[in-house]
Amino acid sequence: MPRIVITSDVHLGITSLPRVQKLVKDIAAQKPDAVAIAGDIGEGVENISIVLEEFASLNIPVAACAGNHDVWNIDKKHPSEVLWERTLPEIARTTGTVWLEDEILIVHGVAIVGTIGWYDYSAQDPAYKASDEENWRRKGEFDADAWMCDWPWNDIEFCRMIEPGFRERLKQAQDNPDVGRIIVVSHSPIFEGQIRRKPNNKKWGFSNAYYGNLNFGKIVAEFEKVTHAYAGHTHAGMEGKMDIKGHPVNVVTLNSQYDDPVYIVIEV
Ligand SMILES: [Fe+2]
Ligand SMILES: [Fe+2]
């Protein structure tokens, strides 16, 4: 039974380097077989590289997906499109990190399958459901991605673009006879149980559009080897259970905060 650590929303640049180093030291003390980082690694390419180098010092397999902050064009010299397509996978390669948008990590029969899991407005509170057009137009009221992420795709287009690869990686894990279980790691929450709801709070309910992708959860639910799903992004710790093809699945959103990233240890 491998021991796997999941962490998320490290945010080096907002979080201090000593705090990140403490996180890595604490994780090392857990003696895991592998680590997965559910995105929002750092603010800007230098910080992202430093975080992945710190994790590489653990000398165990490390897998990561991007978060929305990781594709921000912070210095106006790193367009989001280039970060997404070339720079982030390259940083992963040079630090020996498994880039979950491109590949899966298998550790002792457990597959870690991941994606940035960008939001497609499907997590918006049904009581305040708006059109795709309105959600796109009003994003800046709720989320800095509206001006920090400058790639050419709108949210729906981007989700459509990454969905086939995510499905393919899940299928690859499901079809692999050496894989007994699948752990899903996404930056955005993808299951209802990972999303914090505040009934009768219009601002919150509307803004949930930018904090989840339930359609990706529906895709995951097609794969019966999935036993755990972890997300970050909202910094609003949640823990729930759901049923996939008759067996229980733990669904969690990590409770990482700025300057206080957390981790979870599981044995599966
Ligand atoms: Fe975050
Ligand atoms: Fe995020």
Side-chain angles (χ1 to χ4, degrees):
M1 270 206 315
R3 214 167 140 74
I4 294 170
V5 162
I6 320 282
T7 184
S8 139
D9 297 273
V10 179
H11 284 292
L12 177 61
I14 300 174
T15 302
S16 71
L17 182 57
R19 183 64 189 83
V20 174
Q21 287 166 332
K22 181 185 182 306
L23 173 73
V24 174
K25 203 173 152 212
D26 290 348
I27 289 173
Q30 295 289 340
K31 302 201 178 308
D33 296 298
V35 179
I37 309 169
D40 280 358
I41 301 164
E43 311 301 303
V45 287
E46 203 171 315
N47 285 322
I48 294 168
S49 300
I50 292 169
V51 170
L52 294 183
E53 275 162 20
E54 289 289 335
F55 276 87
S57 73
L58 290 167
N59 289 315
I60 53 171
V62 176
C65 64
N68 55 318
H69 280 234
D70 302 317
V71 294
W72 281 6
N73 185 357
I74 289 174
D75 57 8
K76 302 298 165 209
K77 291 178 190 153
H78 291 84
S80 302
E81 185 178 8
V82 180
L83 284 170
W84 172 253
E85 287 182 343
R86 289 210 300 275
T87 317
L88 296 177
E90 229 166 73
I91 294 172
R93 230 179 348 264
T94 53
T95 53
T97 310
V98 172
W99 194 240
L100 289 171
E101 211 68 51
D102 294 331
E103 50 185 330
I104 68 176
L105 172 64
I106 300 174
V107 194
H108 306 315
V110 176
I112 299 174
V113 181
T115 179
I116 189 170
W118 199 260
Y119 45 83
D120 65 348
Y121 319 139
S122 57
Q124 190 162 48
D125 190 324
Y128 307 110
K129 189 82 194 112
S131 67
D132 289 351
E133 185 278 323
E134 185 180 354
N135 282 320
W136 173 249
R137 180 166 39 84
R138 294 185 57 190
K139 183 159 73 159
E141 294 173 37
F142 303 94
D143 199 296
D145 290 350
W147 60 91
M148 295 300 279
C149 177
D150 61 0
W151 58 35
W153 314 290
N154 69 32
D155 299 323
I156 304 292
E157 286 166 347
F158 183 73
C159 288
R160 277 200 201 118
M161 203 171 83
I162 62 172
E163 185 196 299
F166 181 44
R167 188 188 287 275
E168 190 47 48
R169 292 189 297 283
L170 285 161
K171 190 173 177 321
Q172 188 193 333
Q174 177 72 37
D175 292 348
N176 185 333
D178 296 332
V179 169
R181 288 162 183 247
I182 300 172
I183 296 174
V184 173
V185 173
S186 60
H187 184 58
S188 293
I190 57 172
F191 290 112
E192 186 59 38
Q194 293 176 316
I195 295 166
R196 187 171 295 177
R197 299 293 186 188
K198 292 187 182 175
N200 305 316
N201 182 329
K202 184 173 181 186
K203 191 166 182 237
W204 185 276
F206 191 96
S207 75
N208 270 332
Y210 316 105
Y211 298 103
N213 185 327
L214 297 175
N215 288 316
F216 276 22
K218 284 182 194 156
I219 294 171
V220 170
E222 294 170 23
F223 296 90
E224 60 189 3
K225 284 184 183 170
V226 175
T227 55
H228 297 74
Y230 294 91
H233 188 44
T234 61
H235 304 199
M238 291 292 289
E239 220 175 319
K241 279 222 186 296
M242 67 159 297
D243 186 275
I244 290 183
K245 298 191 184 282
H247 69 262
V249 173
N250 295 312
V251 301
V252 172
T253 298
L254 274 84
N255 194 29
S256 284
Q257 306 298 320
Y258 291 137
D259 213 34
D260 192 20
V262 300
Y263 66 90
I264 286 178
V265 188
I266 48 166
E267 282 190 9
V268 281

